[in-house]
Amino acid sequence: MSLYIGIDSGTQSTKAVVLDLEQKKVIAEARAPHALISGLDRPATWSSIRRTGLPPSDSVILSVVAKVDPARIRGIGVSGQQHGFVPLDEKGEVIRPAKLWCDTSNHGRMRRC
């Protein structure tokens, strides 16, 4: 019986599921929130993923793989956040905060339009 891992790294968390396509069931799942930085200039202005400990992707993969027989895993699919660029250095550390979709810094300006 073959298993497949699906991973989604969004702006607020990373999620993983293990799918058994023959049974058409999710047989394992895990979620790890991202540590977000907010209010760097003023409240709700900037948001970015802050690295703290084990990266969320590693955490969720290790969690779901521990719940199944790893020898049965035949494939991995990954999706990621669409509207945000988080620059990393050679060590995988965030270089600077990045605007993400959940930014509300222009809320007041939009209300005046």
Side-chain angles (χ1 to χ4, degrees), residues 40-113:
L40 296 177
D41 296 322
R42 59 185 185 270
T45 301
W46 288 85
S47 296
S48 182
I49 298 168
R50 178 178 61 225
R51 183 66 65 96
T52 55
L54 190 64
S57 55
D58 291 2
S59 174
V60 298
I61 293 168
L62 290 171
S63 179
V64 296
V65 169
K67 299 173 184 175
V68 300
D69 176 4
R72 294 175 49 203
I73 298 170
R74 297 291 178 254
I76 300 174
V78 180
S79 69
Q81 63 182 4
Q82 183 179 3
H83 301 294
F85 170 70
V86 180
L88 305 175
D89 66 15
E90 63 278 354
K91 296 178 187 172
E93 299 296 326
V94 175
I95 294 171
R96 65 171 187 80
K99 287 264 191 180
L100 300 178
W101 71 270
C102 50
D103 173 75
T104 59
S105 59
N106 288 315
H107 182 70
R109 183 178 300 156
M110 296 304 291
R111 288 182 57 193
R112 292 190 298 267
C113 292

